[in-house]
Amino acid sequence: MERAATPVAVLAAEAAMPDTGEFEALVRQHWPSVFRFTLGCLRDRDAAESLTQDCFLKAYQARDRFRGECSFHTWVMQIAVNLVRDYARNRRLQFWKRTRTTAIDVTEAGPWLADGSASLEQQVAAREELEAVWEAVAGLSERQRTVFLLRFVEDMELLDIVAATGMKEGTVKVHLFRAVHAIRERLGRRK
Amino acid sequence: MKTHLADEQISACVAGWANSEEQEHLAQCESCREQVSRASAGIALYRSYLRKRSDADTRSRSESVKLDGADRRWTTTRWAAAVAVLALVASVPVYRNLRRAPAQPAATDADTVLLEQVDAQVSQAVPDAMEPLARLMTWDGSAAGDSARALTTRKGSDEKQN
């Protein structure tokens, strides 16, 4: 699979590593992507924001080690994947802290699904469908969810997902297929 | 037509990683196409929601950062104003004292007179108690002559009385 050199990759490769000003520009550019990924993984706004900050802090501290072998986006997503993994591990150990106050409630997704042209019935159907996918994604294993989000929300190509997760190509495919299967099953149950 | 696509193949189609054979089948099989499009629609809904949601959170975050900055500036301004008002209030007594300053010369004159008296006393050759004796023992002799004359006059008057 061909990997297109993104403008960020070119920028990063040219700069060998961006200085502070350029790094700030990269943070602004990639913040939404990292935040979206962590939000999808954790389903908690505060935790996602905290992890996104950690991610860019780590990226800044390790900027000398960035050689431009992959795009800056892939590199920073790799850091995010590791942080999410560590966070999930710690949460498992700290099971008594599982009360989340800023967790996303998908039943309040109305404003984000609002479509002026859709009838009320269609809006209700869309919300129910979203809830089904949301629950299915929540029920995925951490690796399945990571691969699912990188592919379907972040539009990353197979080799970029391989680079970001450190998994083998076949493993990435297996996790993604299982994730899609779980979602299809959940949607099928609704039918 | 061959049998329908397997579960993994459907997933590959949903992921956009279908090979040419699977794509060909999909083009011909409505049932498989329907399954792919149904899963794709659900995932697209999820993707759209998550993107809009995170974009809104990112926007509100950057706005709150801006507001924080504005709040900090406003707080600084308020502190500066408070300090200025305090300085103004504190300067009022000083100003009033400055305005009263012309009334002081009288006291200053009294001090000067006192100091002059002290200076005069300090510069005396002998203490007050020894002043008569000092008058008797002046070096130019005039005082002593006067004293002697006074003594002689007193002796003469004593003899006359006797």
Side-chain angles (χ1 to χ4, degrees):
Chain A
M1 196 167 292
E2 204 172 307
R3 289 166 69 191
T6 62
V8 179
V10 174
L11 170 70
E14 276 176 3
M17 190 56 215
D19 65 16
T20 313
E22 286 169 333
F23 193 83
E24 269 182 37
L26 289 171
V27 171
R28 272 197 298 276
Q29 186 178 351
H30 296 284
W31 179 282
S33 180
V34 174
F35 177 69
R36 195 163 50 229
F37 170 72
T38 52
L39 187 67
C41 284
L42 308 174
R43 299 176 298 283
D44 182 280
R45 201 179 57 241
D46 284 356
E49 193 170 310
S50 171
L51 238 62
T52 306
Q53 283 174 358
D54 286 355
C55 178
F56 283 104
L57 181 66
K58 279 188 183 292
Y60 184 75
Q61 287 167 343
R63 66 194 187 282
D64 293 338
R65 277 178 267 156
F66 180 69
R67 301 273 174 256
E69 290 159 354
C70 60
S71 71
F72 183 80
H73 180 250
T74 302
W75 185 64
V76 88
M77 289 309 282
Q78 188 181 353
I79 298 171
V81 166
N82 289 333
L83 281 170
V84 167
R85 193 179 301 155
D86 291 346
Y87 180 86
R89 199 173 295 147
N90 290 337
R91 293 298 286 189
R92 271 199 296 276
L93 293 173
Q94 299 173 352
F95 55 88
W96 63 89
K97 285 188 181 173
R98 287 196 181 171
T99 314
R100 288 194 304 239
T101 51
T102 53
I104 292 177
D105 184 2
V106 77
T107 58
E108 295 170 359
W112 282 277
L113 295 172
D115 180 2
S117 61
S119 66
L120 189 64
E121 200 174 295
Q122 284 171 323
Q123 285 179 29
V124 170
R127 204 184 64 231
E128 283 177 359
E129 196 166 342
L130 172 66
E131 280 175 30
V133 180
W134 186 265
E135 283 168 20
V137 173
L140 297 176
S141 74
E142 181 213 307
R143 289 176 142 208
Q144 287 169 359
R145 189 165 46 245
T146 297
V147 171
F148 174 84
L149 289 167
L150 293 180
R151 176 63 192 140
F152 289 114
V153 181
E154 298 309 316
D155 293 330
M156 286 173 73
E157 295 296 339
L158 179 61
L159 289 183
D160 287 332
I161 298 173
V162 167
T165 57
M167 297 178 201
K168 289 179 181 170
E169 241 182 89
T171 313
V172 169
K173 281 185 175 177
V174 167
H175 283 309
L176 189 70
F177 294 164
R178 284 181 185 163
V180 173
H181 176 77
I183 288 161
R184 285 179 59 215
E185 272 213 323
R186 183 64 71 114
L187 288 172
R189 254 187 260 160
R190 266 193 67 247
K191 207 171 178 181
Chain B
M1 187 187 288
K2 283 195 280 185
T3 53
H4 290 299
L5 291 175
D7 195 51
E8 276 195 2
Q9 290 174 307
I10 296 280
S11 295
C13 292
V14 173
W17 295 340
N19 58 30
S20 57
E21 197 180 320
E22 288 158 354
Q23 283 174 349
E24 200 177 314
H25 176 89
L26 213 58
Q28 294 168 2
C29 180
E30 199 180 333
S31 168
C32 290
R33 206 166 47 242
E34 202 271 331
Q35 285 194 55
V36 169
S37 64
R38 180 163 166 66
S40 298
I43 290 170
L45 203 61
Y46 174 87
R47 170 197 158 95
S48 166
Y49 168 67
L50 193 58
R51 281 184 165 256
K52 284 179 186 171
R53 179 80 207 225
S54 68
D55 285 353
D57 285 342
T58 304
R59 263 198 308 278
S60 68
R61 176 189 166 272
S62 46
E63 276 164 15
S64 71
V65 168
K66 278 182 201 165
L67 281 175
D68 280 354
D71 273 355
R72 217 170 292 131
R73 277 194 296 278
W74 173 231
T75 306
T76 310
T77 311
R78 276 190 296 186
W79 272 110
V83 168
V85 167
L86 277 174
L88 195 67
V89 168
S91 68
V92 167
V94 175
Y95 176 71
R96 292 178 68 182
N97 283 341
L98 282 174
R99 291 195 63 186
R100 278 187 202 147
Q104 283 182 348
T108 312
D109 287 350
D111 287 347
T112 308
V113 169
L114 183 65
L115 278 171
E116 279 172 1
Q117 286 173 353
V118 169
D119 278 346
Q121 283 187 357
V122 167
S123 62
Q124 275 180 328
V126 292
D128 287 344
M130 295 177 71
E131 191 67 27
L133 185 61
R135 274 204 296 272
L136 288 173
M137 294 175 70
T138 53
W139 289 106
D140 59 1
S142 59
D146 290 346
S147 302
R149 220 174 294 130
L151 198 62
T152 313
T153 312
R154 212 160 64 190
K155 252 187 207 173
S157 63
D158 286 346
E159 281 169 359
K160 280 178 190 172
Q161 280 175 6
N162 290 332

